[in-house]
């Protein structure tokens, strides 16, 4: 929203979605149980690939209609299913992305990228959405605006 307010154009492109089975010894199993919904999206800033997100959603959202997720917010989709997110926790690091992500973002192999891990929880502390985002900060720094 900050970038759009500054005159930039952001497009969302749905790359794919599927229900995935989680192995019992993984963090995804701890968060979601046996399965979850995986959604891959690419954000394009002013015509250039900027962020590659891999989202994992609870299967508690019935009949997830993933059509239109190239324009709709995942958080709006969650809200439409009467799930209220109460807490977001972000972790940041710098990491080398997968070859797939490097290709999507058009970054040279081995380029360190900003990596954001987000945990979105409901009022009972259950993880509803977990996402991994790789940012091409050569295009735009990660911006946060705080109102006081």
């Amino acid at each position: 929203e900050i970038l759009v307010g500054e005159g930039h154009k952001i497009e969302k492109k749905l790359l794919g979605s599927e229900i995935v089975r989680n192995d019992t010894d993984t963090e995804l199993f701890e968060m979601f149980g046996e399965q979850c919904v995986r959604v891959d999206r690419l954000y394009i800033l002013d015509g250039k690939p900027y962020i590659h997100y891999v989202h994992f959603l609870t299967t508690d959202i019935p009949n997830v209609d993933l059509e239109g997720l190239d324009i709709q917010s995942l958080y709006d989709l969650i809200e439409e299913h009467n799930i209220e997110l109460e807490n977001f926790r972000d972790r940041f690091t710098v990491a080398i992305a997968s070859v797939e992500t490097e290709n999507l973002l058009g970054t040279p192999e081995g380029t360190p990228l900003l990596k954001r891990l987000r945990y979105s929880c409901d009022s009972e502390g259950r993880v509803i959405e977990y996402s991994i985002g790789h940012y091409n900060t050569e295009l735009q720094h990660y911006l946060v605006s705080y109102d006081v």
Side-chain angles (χ1 to χ4, degrees):
E1 292 180 21
I2 296 171
L3 295 175
V4 172
E6 292 180 352
H8 294 279
K9 181 180 179 189
I10 295 187
E11 301 168 65
K12 300 174 190 175
K13 181 179 179 183
L14 179 64
L15 301 175
S17 61
E18 63 182 333
I19 293 180
V20 294
R21 292 215 163 277
N22 302 321
D23 293 332
T24 55
D25 59 345
T26 64
E27 185 179 19
L28 287 175
F29 187 88
E30 289 178 29
M31 288 186 281
F32 300 111
E34 290 184 12
Q35 61 184 19
C36 62
V37 178
R38 176 184 168 138
V39 178
D40 286 72
R41 298 199 304 175
L42 184 66
Y43 279 48
I44 300 166
L45 175 67
D46 298 328
K48 297 178 182 169
Y50 176 47
I51 310 166
H52 177 225
Y53 281 121
V54 179
H55 301 274
F56 299 93
L57 300 167
T58 178
T59 55
D60 290 347
I61 300 173
N63 304 316
V64 176
D65 181 11
L66 298 172
E67 296 296 321
L69 275 184
D70 49 345
I71 55 173
Q72 183 181 21
S73 161
L74 275 180
Y75 302 114
D76 289 346
L77 174 71
I78 291 167
E79 190 175 288
E80 285 174 10
H81 287 87
N82 298 315
I83 297 174
E84 189 172 324
L85 296 176
E86 189 168 290
N87 179 284
F88 295 92
R89 187 176 78 228
D90 289 345
R91 291 182 5 212
F92 294 91
T93 189
V94 174
I96 305 299
S98 68
V99 172
E100 175 192 11
T101 294
E102 289 174 335
N103 289 337
L104 287 167
L105 294 177
T107 57
E109 185 177 334
T111 300
L113 298 174
L114 177 67
K115 180 179 180 180
R116 187 198 76 190
L117 307 167
R118 171 168 285 174
Y119 302 82
S120 307
C121 301
D122 67 8
S123 60
E124 296 173 18
R126 295 179 306 152
V127 177
I128 302 300
E129 181 257 355
Y130 167 66
S131 63
I132 303 166
H134 287 90
Y135 292 70
N136 181 356
T137 55
E138 290 296 314
L139 289 180
Q140 174 65 53
H141 291 182
Y142 187 93
L143 297 174
V144 179
S145 178
Y146 299 99
D147 293 327
V148 292

